[in-house]
Amino acid sequence: MEREDIEPNNLARAIVVGVQLNNAPGFEYAMEELRNLADACGIETVGELTQKAERVNSAHYIGSGKVEELKAIAAELDASTVIFNDELSPSQIRNLESALERRVIDRTILILDIFAERAQTKEAQLQVEVAKLQYMLPRLVGLRESLGRQGGGSGLKNRGAGETKLELDRRRIEERISHMQQELEKLVARRQVQRKQRQKNEVPVVALVGYTNAGKSSLMNAILSAYEPESGKRVLAKDMLFATLETAVRSISLPDRKTFLLADTVGFVSQLPHHLVKAFRSTLEEVSEADLLIHVVDAANPEYEQHITVTRETLKDLGADGIPAIYAYNKADLLPEADFPRIDGDIVYLSAAGGQGVEELVKMIREQVFGDYVEGEVLIPYDQGRLVAYFNEHADVRSTEYEETGTRLSLSCRAADYERYRELFVER
């Protein structure tokens, strides 16, 4: 079976296969999501086969009877590819391809291929390639024939990593991974310098997190439109899985001169390959070091509670589960009882597409990240005029008066600035 690149007008036909272990909940949605992942990769799903079991079959993932049934279905539906809902071992891939005489791929490589397709920056491209090579490394031994049939793992378009998987031996692949990781370390070091500069400036960081396609990028654009209309720094927002892979950071300036940084991060998904979590850890450091998380939820999705659970678990893996969070229930306009915008505890119901609820969300952000602001009056001697300019830039100055000994400012400023210039503050 020769490898074929999949073109939009020549979609591969595939059957999706899954095993529901011990009647675990959420299985139907996981299979639906697998079909969506296939669609995002340019694969047409023409059939489905499922099995209930206490454990997966170590040799073929599914039982021998199901393998024969699957082979017959694939022949009947003229499906060239079979996609499995879980990550397969090297021996399972080899055994299944031998028995089915079809291209076999799993959920992990499907997600890796989508990331390879969407990666735009050099850092994201390196991270994805490292993840793909790490996934394939244990699958190289004794799998030359199988890999040749797969065309580099998935049978999808060759994005650069495919050739190396076929042509390089284990040692050379390890050297390639090491080289790319060194390149990534340089990019990460540059990012850390930028992050330290932000921390030095004491600008709070607010990170948008959530399940893929929940509307994080749309929400960032809605906030930019409301508070930075002239910036022109919008981010990509599309109705597709993993539309955004790069962490985008934008500065948001409020009318009272309070400023925070808003970070849009890669979306999460159930069974996100650990290879990817590990590879994107440096990018996702924006999340683990944020002062506040905005957990964006697609409130119109019937499985939104499952999405919340997956996001929380991923945040825990990143060490970010202890960071304060606001829940932004997006797409509230699609709910049967569209009572929005409104705030209910730590939840705000909004519509990023329509811009409704942005003001309420920013109010909640303000209360969380600017809660340590101090109200007071400061008397600045005329020979320290630079401090007047500093407070005008970094504080909310309500009034300015010129007195005999200096400039009196009535303001609201950060607690850190109050401590730094405490001797200038006037006792009331």
Side-chain angles (χ1 to χ4, degrees):
M1 188 183 302
E2 295 297 322
R3 176 185 181 276
E4 295 178 358
D5 284 347
I6 297 172
E7 301 296 341
N9 59 354
N10 185 28
L11 297 182
R13 295 167 61 84
I15 296 172
V16 292
V17 181
V19 173
Q20 184 179 16
L21 298 175
N22 302 310
N23 291 314
F27 177 72
E28 291 78 10
Y29 178 75
M31 293 301 294
E32 178 187 347
E33 188 173 75
L34 184 64
R35 292 192 294 272
N36 291 336
L37 290 169
D39 181 65
C41 248
I43 300 177
E44 179 186 6
T45 302
V46 295
E48 178 176 312
L49 179 71
T50 62
Q51 180 178 24
K52 292 183 178 182
E54 293 184 0
R55 66 182 66 86
V56 298
N57 184 289
S58 59
H60 291 91
Y61 179 74
I62 54 178
S64 57
K66 285 290 184 180
V67 171
E68 292 301 317
E69 182 182 345
L70 178 58
K71 184 175 182 180
I73 294 173
E76 179 183 352
L77 298 177
D78 190 27
S80 62
T81 304
V82 183
I83 306 172
F84 289 80
N85 190 41
D86 295 288
E87 185 171 307
L88 300 175
S89 69
S91 61
Q92 286 173 333
I93 293 176
R94 181 177 64 247
N95 295 339
L96 284 166
E97 289 204 326
S98 176
L100 298 173
E101 299 180 339
R102 298 288 190 280
R103 183 183 297 118
V104 171
I105 59 180
D106 61 19
R107 185 186 187 97
T108 296
I109 199 63
L110 204 58
I111 294 175
L112 288 171
D113 270 317
I114 295 173
F115 271 58
E117 173 90 22
R118 305 278 162 79
Q120 297 295 321
T121 66
K122 181 179 180 182
E123 182 174 7
Q125 290 166 351
L126 285 171
Q127 287 170 326
V128 173
E129 188 172 357
V130 166
K132 292 186 78 171
L133 289 176
Q134 288 175 333
Y135 167 83
M136 293 310 302
L137 194 56
R139 291 162 174 79
L140 288 174
V141 179
L143 285 177
R144 291 299 179 184
E145 180 181 351
S146 178
L147 289 174
R149 185 181 295 119
Q150 289 192 88
S154 70
L156 307 185
K157 283 189 175 180
N158 192 321
R159 298 298 173 187
E163 292 181 6
T164 61
K165 292 169 192 169
L166 291 170
E167 298 170 2
L168 299 180
D169 58 19
R170 177 182 293 274
R171 180 181 59 80
R172 291 183 63 193
I173 288 182
E174 289 174 341
E175 289 175 354
R176 174 68 176 154
I177 290 174
S178 176
H179 174 71
M180 289 189 294
Q181 287 178 330
Q182 289 175 8
E183 289 189 64
L184 278 171
E185 285 174 5
K186 296 177 184 177
L187 295 172
V188 170
R190 190 180 310 159
R191 185 193 299 278
Q192 289 174 338
V193 169
Q194 295 171 340
R195 190 179 295 118
K196 286 179 180 178
Q197 185 60 42
R198 291 185 216 138
Q199 293 172 342
K200 182 179 178 181
N201 293 337
E202 297 173 346
V203 179
V205 176
V206 178
L208 296 166
V209 299
Y211 211 77
T212 182
N213 212 27
K216 296 182 298 299
S217 299
S218 296
L219 184 54
M220 171 176 263
N221 287 338
I223 295 173
L224 285 168
S225 295
Y227 294 93
E228 300 288 343
E230 305 300 324
S231 71
K233 293 184 177 180
R234 303 296 185 268
V235 296
L236 175 66
K238 285 187 177 181
D239 183 17
M240 64 166 62
L241 300 177
F242 305 116
T244 304
L245 294 187
E246 287 76 31
T247 297
V249 181
R250 300 290 186 267
S251 178
I252 307 296
S253 299
L254 304 179
D256 58 3
R257 294 189 179 280
K258 292 182 175 69
T259 300
F260 65 90
L261 293 175
L262 186 64
D264 181 23
T265 62
V266 62
F268 303 142
V269 69
S270 61
Q271 298 171 261
L272 188 65
H274 69 275
H275 310 279
L276 270 182
V277 174
K278 182 178 179 181
F280 276 79
R281 187 170 294 277
S282 61
T283 303
L284 293 169
E285 282 177 0
E286 294 288 355
V287 173
S288 60
E289 297 188 10
D291 298 284
L292 176 67
L293 302 180
I294 307 300
H295 187 155
V296 184
V297 179
D298 179 356
N301 192 306
E303 303 291 335
Y304 77 91
E305 291 183 350
Q306 171 69 9
H307 293 178
I308 291 174
T309 299
V310 169
T311 301
R312 284 175 174 167
E313 290 173 351
T314 308
L315 289 172
K316 186 176 181 179
D317 290 341
L318 293 170
D321 52 326
I323 299 174
I326 292 172
Y327 289 83
Y329 278 42
N330 187 29
K331 308 182 186 180
D333 53 315
L334 302 179
L335 296 176
E337 298 178 4
D339 179 17
F340 78 101
R342 64 184 172 92
I343 296 174
D344 183 7
D346 60 354
I347 299 174
V348 55
Y349 292 85
L350 53 80
S351 170
Q356 301 102 324
V358 170
E359 185 177 337
E360 287 77 3
L361 173 60
V362 171
K363 176 185 176 183
M364 296 175 73
I365 294 173
R366 185 197 301 272
E367 291 172 353
Q368 286 273 7
V369 300
F370 301 116
D372 65 341
Y373 266 55
V374 177
E375 301 278 343
E377 291 185 353
V378 61
L379 185 60
I380 302 173
Y382 288 117
D383 62 355
Q384 297 185 46
R386 62 178 181 80
L387 291 180
V388 175
Y390 176 84
F391 281 113
N392 276 318
E393 181 179 353
H394 295 95
D396 179 21
V397 178
R398 277 66 178 279
S399 66
T400 303
E401 298 178 7
Y402 300 97
E403 302 181 356
E404 183 177 343
T405 57
T407 305
R408 181 185 292 266
L409 304 177
S410 177
L411 50 74
S412 171
C413 70
R414 292 175 297 192
D417 282 336
Y418 172 78
E419 293 298 330
R420 186 178 298 127
Y421 302 109
R422 180 189 286 268
E423 72 278 1
L424 299 178
F425 277 79
V426 179
E427 295 292 336
R428 293 182 178 179

